[in-house]
Amino acid sequence: ADHRWVVNEGKWDAEEEVEIGYREQDQVDYTKKIGYRTMWAHYEEHRRRHGDNKSADWKLSKAVYLLFMCGNYSYGDIAKDMFDFKIAVSGTLPAMGSLAHTVMTGDLNIRQVTHMPSMYGDCRRKFDPFDGVTLCKQSQFMAVLADEIRRGLDG
């Protein structure tokens, strides 16, 4: 799998290790971590900048880490036996599958549900695979995108 990161060159100095970031739409998020891949990206950038210079290895100390799974829980389980009445809002009840329905009625002991229509009305979005979808080569992407934007602006 492709793992591309962005280096914050503006924050790099002799005292700190580089910042590794990931593109999120039109910005770069320097707080995002992608498991151990981010740590190995730090090693790669460190090697690229310092080579085999062992005296610079202390800079990696902030970037090297181990991940430990400490557990997980379900918010539904927290209140399962504590309350007689539970109120929840979900837009997915009508589309819920049989397993989710079994969990809701069995494990969480929810016996009655009420469906109310959305205050915004029915969704009027329609997906038309023949309108608004363009396939092109990667080298042509920016030109095709610019043309599409111009068409949208011109109406």
Side-chain angles (χ1 to χ4, degrees), residues 75-86 106-109:
Y75 287 104
D77 284 342
I78 293 173
K80 182 164 62 174
D81 298 320
M82 295 175 66
F83 303 101
D84 292 330
F85 297 98
K86 301 165 188 80
D107 295 351
L108 300 179
N109 199 24

Side-chain angles (χ1 to χ4, degrees), residues 97-118:
S98 61
L99 176 61
H101 189 272
T102 302
V103 169
M104 189 177 81
T105 57
D107 295 351
L108 300 179
N109 199 24
I110 295 176
R111 300 285 176 230
Q112 181 180 356
V113 297
T114 302
H115 295 265
M116 294 178 60
S118 169

Side-chain angles (χ1 to χ4, degrees), residues 9 23 33 49 62-63 72 75 80 122 153:
E9 298 289 348
R23 294 201 184 281
K33 305 288 184 250
R49 292 172 189 283
K62 291 182 182 177
N72 55 35
Y75 287 104
K80 182 164 62 174
D122 291 336
L153 292 174

Side-chain angles (χ1 to χ4, degrees), residues 1-154:
D2 190 23
H3 177 229
R4 295 179 192 208
W5 61 85
V6 176
V7 175
N8 188 349
E9 298 289 348
K11 291 206 172 187
W12 185 81
D13 61 37
E15 298 299 318
E16 295 291 326
E17 189 56 39
V18 298
E19 278 189 315
I20 301 290
Y22 298 95
R23 294 201 184 281
E24 292 284 335
Q25 296 184 11
D26 61 344
Q27 297 180 346
V28 177
D29 183 355
Y30 291 101
T31 62
K32 183 175 183 175
K33 305 288 184 250
I34 302 180
Y36 290 116
R37 289 180 173 192
T38 304
M39 181 182 72
W40 295 119
H42 276 282
Y43 271 105
E44 177 66 25
E45 291 298 328
H46 183 80
R47 186 179 55 78
R48 199 176 287 157
R49 292 172 189 283
H50 304 290
D52 292 329
N53 181 1
K54 296 292 183 192
S55 65
D57 284 353
W58 63 270
K59 293 181 184 183
L60 275 173
S61 63
K62 291 182 182 177
V64 176
Y65 53 88
L66 292 175
L67 298 174
F68 293 97
M69 177 60 106
C70 296
N72 55 35
Y73 61 91
S74 164
Y75 287 104
D77 284 342
I78 293 173
K80 182 164 62 174
D81 298 320
M82 295 175 66
F83 303 101
D84 292 330
F85 297 98
K86 301 165 188 80
I87 297 175
V89 177
S90 171
T92 60
L93 281 176
M96 189 171 23
S98 61
L99 176 61
H101 189 272
T102 302
V103 169
M104 189 177 81
T105 57
D107 295 351
L108 300 179
N109 199 24
I110 295 176
R111 300 285 176 230
Q112 181 180 356
V113 297
T114 302
H115 295 265
M116 294 178 60
S118 169
M119 63 185 258
Y120 301 106
D122 291 336
C123 177
R124 294 184 296 272
R125 287 178 291 169
K126 302 272 190 268
F127 176 72
D128 183 355
F130 301 107
D131 183 30
V133 177
T134 303
L135 300 176
C136 65
K137 293 181 180 176
Q138 187 173 0
S139 60
Q140 299 170 324
F141 175 75
M142 293 307 287
V144 171
L145 178 61
D147 290 343
E148 186 67 29
I149 291 170
R150 275 190 218 99
R151 265 196 304 278
L153 292 174
D154 293 342

